[in-house]
Amino acid sequence: MQDSADQGAAPWVPPTPTIAGLRAAAPACRGCELWAPATQVVFSRGPSDASIVLVGEQPGDHEDLEGEPFVGPAGRLLSDALRAAGIDEDAVYLTNAVKHFRFEERGKRRMHKTPTVTHLRACGPWLDAELAVVRPRVVVALGASAARAVLGRSVGVTRERGRILDGGYLVTTHPSAVVRLRGRDGFESAFDALVNDLGLAAP
Ligand code: SF4
C-alpha cells in the first residue's frame, strides 16, 4: 500500500500487532522529526473489528492537546456527516495517515502545516499495521494526503471521489476543507457531497 521502502516508523511497529499493542508502542516512535515539537502521539479510536476505517491527514491543534483524533471542529463536522450518511460513528475506526501534529508557530498560535510525502512514508508502517489488523470492508481516505497514504500514489480528490475504487477504497474531501467554507457560499453543497460520499460506505 505504501509507495516507499523507507524504514520510517517500521522499527517501532510491533511485528505481530494488535490495535492495543500499536497504541502502546506509538509514543516511542522516532520515525521522523514530527514527534519532537508535538505534545503527544495521536493514534486512533474505534473498534478493531470495524467494517469501515476512516483515515484523515494528521492530528490538528485540538487533537494534539487531547491525544484523540477528530475531536476539533473538523471532527465535529465529520460526526454530523456520518450521522447524515446513516453511519454509526462508534462502529467506525478513525485514524490518521500521520500520527503527530505538523505545525508552525505564529506568535502564540500553532498553524497546521500539510505533511510532506516523506512524513506520509515515514508514518506509513503504522497505518499499514492498523489496516492489517482491522481488515475493514471499506477504507475511506479523507483528503489528498490520506488518499496518497492509503493508495500509495498521487490522488486528485475531485476526480476520484464518489465511487468505491478497486480494493474497497473510497476517496472524499477532508472535513476541515468543509469547515473552512462555513458561513460562505458552497458550504451546504460541500457538506452534502461529503455525506453522499460517506453514504457509499454505509452498511
Ligand atoms: S509522525 Fe509517525 S513516523 Fe513520525 S514520529 Fe510520529 S508516529 Fe513516528
Side-chain angles (χ1 to χ4, degrees):
M1 193 167 296
Q2 291 297 309
D3 56 355
S4 166
D6 290 355
Q7 279 289 292
W12 288 272
V13 177
T16 51
T18 61
I19 295 302
L22 292 168
R23 282 198 186 112
C29 184
R30 301 293 181 264
C32 73
E33 82 287 3
L34 295 182
W35 67 273
T39 306
Q40 58 193 317
V41 72
V42 180
F43 203 75
S44 66
R45 68 180 154 93
S48 59
D49 60 351
S51 66
I52 303 172
V53 169
L54 298 187
V55 183
E57 180 197 75
Q58 64 168 1
D61 189 59
H62 291 80
E63 288 80 6
D64 170 78
L65 294 172
E66 295 190 33
E68 283 280 318
F70 295 100
V71 292
R76 289 193 289 279
L77 185 134
L78 180 63
S79 297
D80 292 343
L82 286 169
R83 202 174 308 114
I87 295 173
D88 176 6
E89 182 173 350
D90 291 338
V92 171
Y93 183 87
L94 293 148
T95 192
N96 281 301
V98 172
K99 312 298 192 208
H100 278 102
F101 179 32
R102 184 174 191 233
F103 61 93
E104 63 182 15
E105 290 180 300
R106 289 200 205 139
K108 290 186 176 170
R109 299 188 67 194
R110 303 189 303 169
M111 307 302 291
H112 165 275
K113 274 188 87 174
T114 302
T116 66
V117 172
T118 301
H119 297 128
L120 296 171
R121 289 173 175 166
C123 217
W126 291 113
L127 181 60
D128 286 347
E130 291 171 277
L131 294 177
V133 172
V134 179
R135 299 175 60 84
R137 179 176 52 81
V138 186
V139 179
V140 183
L142 302 167
S145 294
R148 166 111 209 180
V150 164
L151 295 173
R153 60 177 173 80
S154 180
V155 174
V157 172
T158 304
R159 190 175 64 245
E160 304 208 30
R161 71 185 302 176
R163 61 197 159 92
I164 302 282
L165 305 173
D166 288 348
Y169 301 108
L170 175 64
V171 173
T172 187
T173 189
H174 195 283
S176 63
V178 183
V179 167
R180 283 195 290 273
L181 291 171
R182 198 166 250 150
R184 294 162 51 189
D185 287 350
F187 171 77
E188 292 204 355
S189 60
F191 181 80
D192 290 347
L194 175 61
V195 171
N196 286 340
D197 287 344
L198 292 173
L200 297 171

